[in-house]
Amino acid sequence: MINFRTASGRDIDMEHPQPEDFVIEDIALGLSHSCRFAGQMPQFYSVAQHCILVSSIVDAPFRTAALLHDAHEAYTCDLPRNLKHHGMLKGYRDLAENMQCVIEDSFGAGITYADRVKHLKPADDAAAIFEFLILREGHLKCTEDKVRKLVASDFVRQPYEALAPFIERLPQVWTPLSPTEAKVGFMMCFESYKRVLVP
């Protein structure tokens, strides 16, 4: 058993998580305190704000799923992409993927594999490119040339053609928020998307 206690006082068996283990406040808190790119940023930028960004560039039916696409990282932490997909971390990936599935089911945020591939994956990668180029490297725009170079470097796993529609939806200005601000923004998005989806 891998036991984990949340800020709300829930004890989660991370190998066998249950839907009732998860509340949105714990997820918002954990993601808002976790920095993207393993903290290698000029200033703090949270996974929670990344999730808000991804949710803002997908179509309305997929916004809750997009907001929660990294929810397991509230408990398992964010890892750099190349490390996360390394063969030595298969156990971590299995645990994280199972936890993610349970979280999505508990909030009614599950979507089909086809929709995940078509909508969430390219939106996630488009956001990652934007964050890397604009927030980490200090470029002014995500030009096609810069994006294609990142695609060619295997920074992301989507072809440019799949990314382009989502890159066009990215904001002109995106200012990193404090953990407190990011948590509030994440909660506001969750409540807003829930009202849209629930009659």
Side-chain angles (χ1 to χ4, degrees):
M1 175 185 288
I2 304 174
N3 204 37
F4 182 89
R5 172 158 284 199
T6 71
S8 67
R10 286 164 171 79
D11 288 309
I12 300 176
D13 178 354
M14 297 181 73
E15 293 178 284
H16 303 97
Q18 302 300 312
E20 60 270 20
D21 292 337
F22 302 105
V23 294
I24 198 64
E25 292 80 6
D26 282 340
I27 293 170
L29 178 68
L31 296 183
S32 68
H33 283 102
S34 180
C35 189
R36 289 279 282 165
F37 301 108
Q40 300 302 308
M41 296 286 287
Q43 63 187 108
F44 182 84
Y45 179 72
S46 70
V47 175
Q49 192 173 358
H50 163 75
C51 292
I52 294 169
L53 178 60
V54 176
S55 73
S56 75
I57 61 173
V58 298
D59 295 334
F62 307 108
R63 287 182 183 151
T64 298
L67 185 71
L68 294 175
H69 79 279
D70 281 336
H72 69 88
E73 293 179 7
Y75 313 93
T76 62
C77 299
D78 182 29
L79 296 180
R81 287 174 175 236
N82 291 342
L83 177 60
K84 185 183 297 184
H85 296 289
H86 194 280
M88 292 179 65
L89 290 185
K90 183 181 184 305
Y92 166 88
R93 288 195 303 277
D94 289 345
L95 184 147
E97 288 168 11
N98 179 56
M99 182 171 283
Q100 181 67 29
C101 287
V102 175
I103 291 170
E104 289 177 1
D105 288 346
S106 70
F107 291 103
I111 61 174
T112 67
Y113 178 77
D115 282 336
R116 192 175 299 277
V117 169
K118 183 177 180 181
H119 298 278
L120 257 59
K121 294 293 187 182
D124 187 21
D125 282 351
I129 285 172
F130 174 82
E131 292 159 350
F132 182 83
L133 290 175
I134 306 301
L135 300 181
R136 181 171 167 170
E137 300 297 308
H139 295 286
L140 298 178
K141 293 179 66 177
C142 289
T143 63
E144 180 176 342
D145 178 60
K146 291 184 176 72
V147 173
R148 286 189 181 277
K149 284 182 179 177
L150 279 181
V151 170
S153 74
D154 287 332
F155 177 75
V156 297
R157 298 186 170 190
Q158 303 290 323
Y160 176 81
E161 291 70 25
L163 298 170
F166 297 97
I167 289 172
E168 291 174 1
R169 298 181 182 184
L170 289 164
Q172 294 295 312
V173 177
W174 192 247
T175 304
L177 301 174
S178 71
T180 299
E181 292 168 330
K183 180 187 175 187
V184 169
F186 187 95
M187 292 294 298
M188 289 176 64
C189 285
F190 179 77
E191 292 299 327
S192 173
Y193 301 157
K194 188 170 67 172
R195 284 196 298 272
V196 169
L197 293 175
V198 177

